[in-house]
Structure formats: C-alpha cells, structure tokens
Amino acid sequence: IFPNPANDIIQFSSEFLNLEFDIYNFSGKLVLTGISSNNYNVSQLSTGIFYMVVYAEKPEKFKLIIN
C-alpha cells in the first residue's frame, strides 16, 4: 500500500487488488471500509495514524499515516 504517508489517494499492489479492507483509527474504531483498487480515495480521513486490515487469504495488517 503506497504512498505511506498518504494525502488523498492510496494505491494497492496487485496482490491486494479487489479485496475487502477496513481502516481503524488509533483508538480501534472502524472509520472506513471498502474494496481495494488501483487508486482509493482516503481524503475523508483526518490527519493521523490508522490501521488497515486487508482481508486476503491470510488477513494482512498495515499502519497507514495520513498527512
């Protein structure tokens, strides 16, 4: 997932395309859910640190920083 830190758009590598994902704030509250694509708009998220779970065959967790 790149860029990281991100501003408005994140991109998923080909191994993570068309998969469900959730984004949680630092407190663990679900703030966004979606289906991964080449370009995904995250501009609705405030500045901060978030955690993303991509539901692949084995769920993958990432730290996502929004500028």
Side-chain angles (χ1 to χ4, degrees):
I1 296 167
F2 57 94
N4 194 4
N7 290 320
D8 297 330
I9 302 292
I10 56 173
Q11 297 178 332
F12 292 83
S13 61
S14 59
E15 65 187 297
F16 294 115
L17 288 178
N18 300 313
L19 297 173
E20 292 183 31
F21 70 87
D22 293 331
I23 297 178
Y24 298 88
N25 66 15
F26 198 70
S27 300
K29 179 181 176 188
L30 179 65
V31 294
L32 182 65
T33 189
I35 302 292
S36 59
S37 61
N38 286 333
N39 295 300
Y40 196 90
N41 188 334
V42 292
S43 63
Q44 69 271 32
L45 296 176
S46 59
T47 299
I49 298 174
F50 297 85
Y51 295 96
M52 173 183 281
V53 178
V54 179
Y55 296 99
E57 187 174 316
K58 174 183 166 193
E60 299 280 341
K61 297 177 185 174
F62 302 93
K63 183 176 6 176
L64 178 63
I65 301 170
I66 304 296
N67 285 334

Coordinates of all heavy atoms in Angstrom, one line a residue:
I1 N 0.9 -1.2 0.0 CA 0.0 0.0 0.0 C 0.9 1.2 0.0 O 1.8 1.3 0.8 CB -0.9 0.0 1.2 CG1 -1.9 -1.2 1.1 CG2 -1.7 1.3 1.3 CD1 -2.6 -1.5 2.4
F2 N 0.7 2.1 -0.9 CA 1.6 3.3 -1.1 C 0.7 4.4 -1.7 O -0.3 4.2 -2.3 CB 2.8 2.9 -2.0 CG 2.4 2.4 -3.3 CD1 2.4 3.2 -4.4 CD2 2.1 1.0 -3.5 CE1 2.0 2.7 -5.7 CE2 1.8 0.5 -4.8 CZ 1.8 1.4 -5.8
P3 N 1.1 5.7 -1.6 CA 2.2 6.1 -0.7 C 1.8 6.0 0.8 O 0.7 6.0 1.1 CB 2.4 7.6 -1.1 CG 1.1 8.0 -1.6 CD 0.4 6.8 -2.2
N4 N 2.8 6.0 1.6 CA 2.6 6.0 3.0 C 3.8 6.7 3.7 O 4.8 6.1 3.7 CB 2.5 4.5 3.5 CG 1.9 4.4 4.9 OD1 1.5 5.4 5.5 ND2 1.9 3.2 5.4
P5 N 3.5 7.9 4.2 CA 2.3 8.6 4.4 C 1.5 9.0 3.1 O 2.1 9.1 2.1 CB 2.7 9.9 5.1 CG 4.1 9.7 5.5 CD 4.7 8.7 4.6
A6 N 0.2 9.1 3.2 CA -0.6 9.5 2.1 C -1.4 10.8 2.4 O -1.5 11.2 3.5 CB -1.6 8.4 1.9
N7 N -1.9 11.4 1.3 CA -2.7 12.6 1.5 C -4.1 12.3 1.1 O -5.0 12.4 1.9 CB -2.1 13.7 0.6 CG -0.8 14.3 1.1 OD1 -0.6 14.4 2.3 ND2 0.1 14.5 0.2
D8 N -4.4 12.0 -0.2 CA -5.7 11.8 -0.7 C -6.0 10.4 -1.2 O -7.1 9.9 -1.1 CB -6.1 12.8 -1.8 CG -6.0 14.2 -1.3 OD1 -6.3 14.4 -0.1 OD2 -5.7 15.1 -2.1
I9 N -5.0 9.8 -1.9 CA -5.1 8.6 -2.6 C -4.1 7.6 -2.1 O -3.0 7.9 -1.9 CB -4.9 8.8 -4.1 CG1 -5.9 9.9 -4.7 CG2 -5.0 7.5 -4.9 CD1 -7.3 9.4 -4.7
I10 N -4.6 6.3 -1.9 CA -3.6 5.2 -1.7 C -3.8 4.2 -2.8 O -4.8 4.2 -3.5 CB -3.9 4.5 -0.3 CG1 -5.3 4.0 -0.2 CG2 -3.5 5.4 0.8 CD1 -5.5 3.1 1.0
Q11 N -2.7 3.5 -3.1 CA -2.7 2.5 -4.1 C -2.4 1.2 -3.5 O -1.6 1.1 -2.6 CB -1.7 2.9 -5.2 CG -2.1 4.2 -5.9 CD -1.0 4.5 -7.0 OE1 0.1 4.1 -6.9 NE2 -1.5 5.2 -8.0
F12 N -3.0 0.1 -4.0 CA -2.7 -1.2 -3.6 C -1.9 -2.0 -4.6 O -2.1 -1.8 -5.8 CB -4.0 -2.0 -3.4 CG -4.9 -1.4 -2.3 CD1 -5.7 -0.3 -2.5 CD2 -4.9 -2.0 -1.0 CE1 -6.5 0.2 -1.5 CE2 -5.7 -1.5 0.0 CZ -6.5 -0.4 -0.2
S13 N -0.9 -2.8 -4.1 CA -0.2 -3.6 -5.0 C -1.1 -4.7 -5.6 O -2.1 -5.0 -5.0 CB 1.0 -4.2 -4.3 OG 0.6 -5.0 -3.2
S14 N -0.7 -5.3 -6.7 CA -1.5 -6.2 -7.4 C -2.0 -7.4 -6.6 O -3.1 -7.9 -6.7 CB -0.8 -6.7 -8.7 OG 0.4 -7.4 -8.3
E15 N -1.2 -7.8 -5.6 CA -1.6 -8.9 -4.8 C -2.8 -8.6 -3.8 O -3.4 -9.5 -3.3 CB -0.4 -9.5 -4.0 CG 0.1 -8.5 -3.0 CD 1.4 -8.9 -2.3 OE1 1.4 -10.0 -1.6 OE2 2.4 -8.3 -2.5
F16 N -3.0 -7.3 -3.7 CA -4.1 -6.9 -2.7 C -5.3 -6.2 -3.5 O -6.1 -5.5 -2.8 CB -3.6 -5.9 -1.7 CG -2.6 -6.6 -0.8 CD1 -1.3 -6.2 -0.7 CD2 -3.0 -7.6 0.1 CE1 -0.3 -6.8 0.1 CE2 -2.1 -8.2 0.9 CZ -0.8 -7.8 1.0
L17 N -5.4 -6.4 -4.8 CA -6.5 -5.7 -5.5 C -7.8 -6.5 -5.3 O -7.8 -7.7 -5.3 CB -6.2 -5.6 -7.0 CG -5.1 -4.6 -7.3 CD1 -4.8 -4.6 -8.8 CD2 -5.5 -3.2 -6.9
N18 N -8.9 -5.8 -5.3 CA -10.3 -6.3 -5.3 C -10.5 -7.2 -4.0 O -11.2 -8.2 -4.1 CB -10.5 -7.2 -6.6 CG -10.4 -6.3 -7.8 OD1 -11.0 -5.3 -7.9 ND2 -9.7 -6.8 -8.8
L19 N -10.0 -6.7 -2.9 CA -10.2 -7.4 -1.6 C -10.8 -6.4 -0.7 O -10.6 -5.2 -0.8 CB -8.8 -7.8 -1.1 CG -8.1 -8.9 -1.9 CD1 -6.7 -9.1 -1.2 CD2 -8.9 -10.2 -1.9
E20 N -11.6 -6.9 0.2 CA -12.2 -6.1 1.2 C -11.2 -5.6 2.2 O -10.2 -6.3 2.5 CB -13.3 -6.8 2.0 CG -14.5 -7.2 1.2 CD -15.6 -7.9 2.0 OE1 -15.7 -7.6 3.3 OE2 -16.3 -8.7 1.5
F21 N -11.4 -4.4 2.7 CA -10.4 -3.9 3.7 C -11.2 -3.0 4.7 O -12.3 -2.5 4.4 CB -9.3 -3.1 3.1 CG -9.7 -1.7 2.5 CD1 -9.7 -0.6 3.3 CD2 -10.0 -1.7 1.2 CE1 -10.1 0.6 2.7 CE2 -10.4 -0.5 0.6 CZ -10.4 0.7 1.4
D22 N -10.7 -2.8 5.9 CA -11.2 -2.0 6.9 C -10.0 -1.1 7.4 O -8.9 -1.5 7.5 CB -11.7 -2.7 8.2 CG -12.9 -3.6 7.9 OD1 -13.7 -3.2 7.0 OD2 -13.1 -4.6 8.5
I23 N -10.4 0.2 7.7 CA -9.4 1.1 8.3 C -10.0 1.5 9.7 O -11.1 1.9 9.8 CB -9.2 2.3 7.4 CG1 -8.6 1.9 6.1 CG2 -8.3 3.4 8.1 CD1 -8.4 3.0 5.1
Y24 N -9.1 1.4 10.7 CA -9.4 1.7 12.1 C -8.6 2.9 12.5 O -7.4 3.1 12.1 CB -9.1 0.6 13.0 CG -9.9 -0.7 12.6 CD1 -9.5 -1.6 11.7 CD2 -11.1 -0.9 13.3 CE1 -10.2 -2.7 11.4 CE2 -11.9 -2.1 13.0 CZ -11.4 -2.9 12.0 OH -12.1 -4.1 11.7
N25 N -9.2 3.8 13.3 CA -8.4 4.9 13.9 C -7.5 4.4 15.0 O -7.5 3.2 15.4 CB -9.3 6.1 14.4 CG -10.2 5.7 15.5 OD1 -10.0 4.7 16.2 ND2 -11.1 6.6 15.8
F26 N -6.7 5.2 15.6 CA -5.7 4.8 16.6 C -6.4 4.2 17.8 O -5.8 3.4 18.6 CB -4.8 6.0 17.0 CG -3.6 5.6 17.7 CD1 -2.6 5.0 17.0 CD2 -3.4 5.9 19.0 CE1 -1.4 4.6 17.6 CE2 -2.2 5.6 19.7 CZ -1.2 4.9 18.9
S27 N -7.7 4.6 18.1 CA -8.4 4.1 19.2 C -9.1 2.8 18.9 O -9.7 2.2 19.8 CB -9.5 5.1 19.6 OG -8.9 6.3 20.0
G28 N -9.0 2.3 17.7 CA -9.6 1.0 17.3 C -11.0 1.1 16.8 O -11.6 0.1 16.5
K29 N -11.5 2.3 16.5 CA -12.8 2.5 16.0 C -12.8 2.3 14.5 O -11.9 2.9 13.8 CB -13.4 3.8 16.4 CG -14.7 4.1 15.8 CD -15.2 5.5 16.2 CE -16.6 5.8 15.5 NZ -17.0 7.2 15.7
L30 N -13.7 1.5 13.9 CA -13.8 1.4 12.4 C -14.2 2.7 11.8 O -15.2 3.3 12.2 CB -14.8 0.3 12.1 CG -15.0 0.0 10.6 CD1 -13.7 -0.5 10.0 CD2 -16.2 -0.9 10.5
V31 N -13.4 3.3 10.9 CA -13.7 4.6 10.3 C -13.9 4.5 8.8 O -14.5 5.4 8.2 CB -12.6 5.6 10.6 CG1 -12.6 5.9 12.1 CG2 -11.2 5.1 10.1
L32 N -13.5 3.4 8.1 CA -13.7 3.3 6.7 C -13.6 1.8 6.3 O -12.8 1.0 6.8 CB -12.6 4.1 5.9 CG -12.7 4.1 4.4 CD1 -14.0 4.8 4.0 CD2 -11.5 4.8 3.9
T33 N -14.5 1.4 5.4 CA -14.4 0.0 4.8 C -14.6 0.2 3.3 O -15.2 1.1 2.8 CB -15.5 -0.8 5.5 OG1 -15.3 -2.2 5.0 CG2 -16.9 -0.4 5.1
G34 N -14.0 -0.8 2.6 CA -14.1 -0.7 1.1 C -13.5 -1.9 0.5 O -13.2 -2.9 1.1
I35 N -13.4 -1.8 -0.9 CA -12.8 -2.8 -1.7 C -11.6 -2.2 -2.4 O -11.7 -1.1 -3.0 CB -13.8 -3.3 -2.8 CG1 -15.1 -3.8 -2.2 CG2 -13.2 -4.3 -3.7 CD1 -15.0 -5.1 -1.5
S36 N -10.5 -2.8 -2.2 CA -9.2 -2.3 -2.7 C -9.2 -2.1 -4.2 O -9.8 -2.9 -5.0 CB -8.0 -3.1 -2.3 OG -8.2 -4.4 -2.8
S37 N -8.6 -1.1 -4.7 CA -8.5 -0.8 -6.2 C -7.1 -0.1 -6.4 O -6.4 0.2 -5.5 CB -9.6 0.1 -6.6 OG -9.6 1.3 -5.9
N38 N -6.9 0.1 -7.7 CA -5.6 0.8 -8.1 C -5.4 2.1 -7.3 O -4.4 2.4 -6.8 CB -5.5 1.0 -9.6 CG -5.2 -0.3 -10.3 OD1 -4.6 -1.2 -9.8 ND2 -5.6 -0.4 -11.5
N39 N -6.5 2.9 -7.3 CA -6.5 4.2 -6.6 C -7.7 4.3 -5.7 O -8.8 4.2 -6.2 CB -6.5 5.3 -7.6 CG -5.3 5.4 -8.5 OD1 -4.2 5.5 -8.0 ND2 -5.4 5.2 -9.8
Y40 N -7.5 4.5 -4.4 CA -8.6 4.6 -3.5 C -8.5 5.9 -2.8 O -7.5 6.2 -2.2 CB -8.6 3.4 -2.5 CG -9.9 3.3 -1.8 CD1 -10.9 2.5 -2.3 CD2 -10.2 3.9 -0.6 CE1 -12.1 2.4 -1.7 CE2 -11.4 3.8 0.0 CZ -12.4 3.0 -0.6 OH -13.6 3.0 0.1
N41 N -9.6 6.6 -2.8 CA -9.6 8.0 -2.1 C -9.8 7.9 -0.6 O -10.8 7.3 -0.2 CB -10.8 8.8 -2.8 CG -10.8 10.2 -2.3 OD1 -10.3 10.6 -1.3 ND2 -11.3 11.1 -3.2
V42 N -8.8 8.4 0.1 CA -8.9 8.4 1.6 C -9.0 9.8 2.1 O -8.7 10.1 3.3 CB -7.8 7.6 2.2 CG1 -7.9 6.1 2.0 CG2 -6.4 8.2 1.8
S43 N -9.3 10.8 1.3 CA -9.3 12.2 1.7 C -10.3 12.5 2.8 O -10.1 13.5 3.5 CB -9.6 13.1 0.5 OG -10.9 12.9 -0.1
Q44 N -11.3 11.6 3.0 CA -12.3 11.9 4.1 C -11.7 11.6 5.4 O -12.3 12.0 6.5 CB -13.5 11.1 3.8 CG -13.4 9.6 4.0 CD -13.0 8.9 2.7 OE1 -12.3 9.4 1.9 NE2 -13.4 7.6 2.6
L45 N -10.5 10.9 5.5 CA -9.9 10.7 6.8 C -9.1 11.9 7.3 O -8.5 12.6 6.5 CB -8.9 9.5 6.7 CG -9.5 8.1 6.3 CD1 -8.4 7.1 6.1 CD2 -10.5 7.7 7.4
S46 N -9.1 12.1 8.5 CA -8.4 13.3 9.1 C -6.9 12.9 9.2 O -6.5 11.7 9.1 CB -8.9 13.6 10.5 OG -8.8 12.5 11.3
T47 N -6.1 13.8 9.5 CA -4.6 13.6 9.7 C -4.5 12.7 10.9 O -5.1 12.9 11.9 CB -3.9 14.9 9.9 OG1 -4.1 15.7 8.7 CG2 -2.4 14.7 10.1
G48 N -3.6 11.7 10.7 CA -3.3 10.8 11.9 C -2.8 9.5 11.5 O -2.5 9.2 10.3
I49 N -2.7 8.6 12.4 CA -2.3 7.2 12.2 C -3.4 6.3 12.3 O -4.3 6.4 13.2 CB -1.2 6.8 13.3 CG1 0.0 7.8 13.2 CG2 -0.8 5.4 13.1 CD1 1.0 7.6 14.3
F50 N -3.5 5.4 11.3 CA -4.6 4.5 11.2 C -4.1 3.1 11.0 O -2.9 2.9 10.6 CB -5.5 4.8 10.0 CG -6.2 6.2 10.1 CD1 -5.5 7.3 9.7 CD2 -7.4 6.3 10.6 CE1 -6.1 8.6 9.8 CE2 -8.1 7.5 10.7 CZ -7.4 8.7 10.4
Y51 N -4.9 2.1 11.2 CA -4.5 0.7 11.0 C -5.5 0.1 10.0 O -6.7 0.3 10.1 CB -4.5 -0.1 12.3 CG -3.5 0.4 13.2 CD1 -3.8 1.3 14.2 CD2 -2.2 0.0 13.1 CE1 -2.8 1.8 15.1 CE2 -1.2 0.5 13.9 CZ -1.5 1.4 14.9 OH -0.6 1.9 15.7
M52 N -4.9 -0.5 9.0 CA -5.7 -1.1 7.9 C -5.6 -2.6 7.9 O -4.5 -3.2 8.1 CB -5.2 -0.6 6.5 CG -5.9 -1.3 5.4 SD -5.2 -0.7 3.8 CE -6.1 0.9 3.7
V53 N -6.7 -3.3 7.7 CA -6.7 -4.8 7.6 C -7.2 -5.1 6.2 O -8.3 -4.7 5.9 CB -7.6 -5.4 8.7 CG1 -7.6 -6.9 8.5 CG2 -7.1 -5.1 10.1
V54 N -6.4 -5.8 5.4 CA -6.8 -6.2 4.1 C -7.2 -7.7 4.2 O -6.3 -8.5 4.7 CB -5.7 -6.0 3.0 CG1 -6.2 -6.5 1.7 CG2 -5.4 -4.5 3.0
Y55 N -8.4 -8.1 3.8 CA -8.8 -9.5 4.0 C -8.4 -10.3 2.8 O -9.3 -10.7 2.0 CB -10.3 -9.5 4.3 CG -10.6 -8.8 5.6 CD1 -11.1 -7.5 5.6 CD2 -10.4 -9.4 6.8 CE1 -11.3 -6.8 6.8 CE2 -10.6 -8.8 8.0 CZ -11.1 -7.5 8.0 OH -11.3 -6.8 9.2
A56 N -7.2 -10.6 2.7 CA -6.6 -11.6 1.7 C -6.8 -13.0 2.3 O -7.5 -13.2 3.3 CB -5.2 -11.3 1.5
E57 N -6.2 -14.0 1.6 CA -6.3 -15.4 2.1 C -6.0 -15.4 3.6 O -6.6 -16.1 4.4 CB -5.4 -16.3 1.3 CG -5.6 -17.7 1.6 CD -4.8 -18.6 0.7 OE1 -4.8 -18.3 -0.6 OE2 -4.2 -19.6 1.1
K58 N -4.9 -14.7 3.9 CA -4.5 -14.5 5.3 C -4.6 -13.0 5.6 O -3.9 -12.3 4.9 CB -3.0 -15.0 5.5 CG -2.5 -14.7 6.9 CD -1.0 -15.2 7.0 CE -0.4 -14.6 8.2 NZ 1.1 -14.7 8.2
P59 N -5.4 -12.5 6.5 CA -5.6 -11.1 6.6 C -4.2 -10.4 6.9 O -3.4 -10.9 7.7 CB -6.5 -11.0 7.8 CG -7.3 -12.2 7.8 CD -6.3 -13.3 7.3
E60 N -4.0 -9.3 6.2 CA -2.7 -8.5 6.4 C -3.0 -7.2 7.1 O -4.0 -6.6 6.8 CB -2.1 -8.3 5.0 CG -1.8 -9.5 4.2 CD -0.4 -10.1 4.7 OE1 0.4 -9.4 5.3 OE2 -0.2 -11.3 4.3
K61 N -2.2 -6.8 8.0 CA -2.4 -5.6 8.7 C -1.3 -4.6 8.4 O -0.1 -5.0 8.2 CB -2.3 -5.8 10.2 CG -3.4 -6.7 10.7 CD -3.3 -7.0 12.2 CE -4.4 -8.1 12.6 NZ -4.3 -8.5 13.9
F62 N -1.6 -3.3 8.2 CA -0.7 -2.3 7.8 C -1.0 -1.0 8.7 O -2.1 -0.8 9.1 CB -0.9 -1.8 6.4 CG -0.8 -3.0 5.4 CD1 -1.8 -3.7 5.0 CD2 0.5 -3.3 4.9 CE1 -1.7 -4.7 4.1 CE2 0.7 -4.3 4.0 CZ -0.4 -5.0 3.6
K63 N 0.1 -0.3 9.0 CA -0.1 1.0 9.6 C -0.1 2.0 8.5 O 0.7 2.0 7.5 CB 1.1 1.4 10.5 CG 0.9 2.7 11.2 CD 1.9 3.1 12.2 CE 3.1 2.4 12.5 NZ 4.0 3.0 13.4
L64 N -1.1 2.9 8.5 CA -1.3 3.9 7.4 C -1.3 5.3 8.1 O -2.0 5.5 9.0 CB -2.7 3.7 6.8 CG -3.1 4.6 5.7 CD1 -2.2 4.5 4.5 CD2 -4.5 4.3 5.2
I65 N -0.4 6.2 7.5 CA -0.3 7.5 8.0 C -0.9 8.5 7.0 O -0.6 8.4 5.8 CB 1.2 7.9 8.3 CG1 1.7 6.9 9.3 CG2 1.3 9.3 8.8 CD1 3.2 7.0 9.5
I66 N -1.8 9.3 7.5 CA -2.5 10.3 6.6 C -2.0 11.7 7.0 O -2.0 12.1 8.2 CB -4.0 10.3 6.8 CG1 -4.6 8.9 6.5 CG2 -4.7 11.4 5.9 CD1 -4.4 8.4 5.1
N67 N -1.4 12.4 6.0 CA -0.9 13.7 6.3 C -2.0 14.8 6.3 O -2.8 14.8 5.5 CB 0.1 14.1 5.2 CG 1.4 13.4 5.4 OD1 1.8 13.0 6.5 ND2 2.1 13.3 4.3

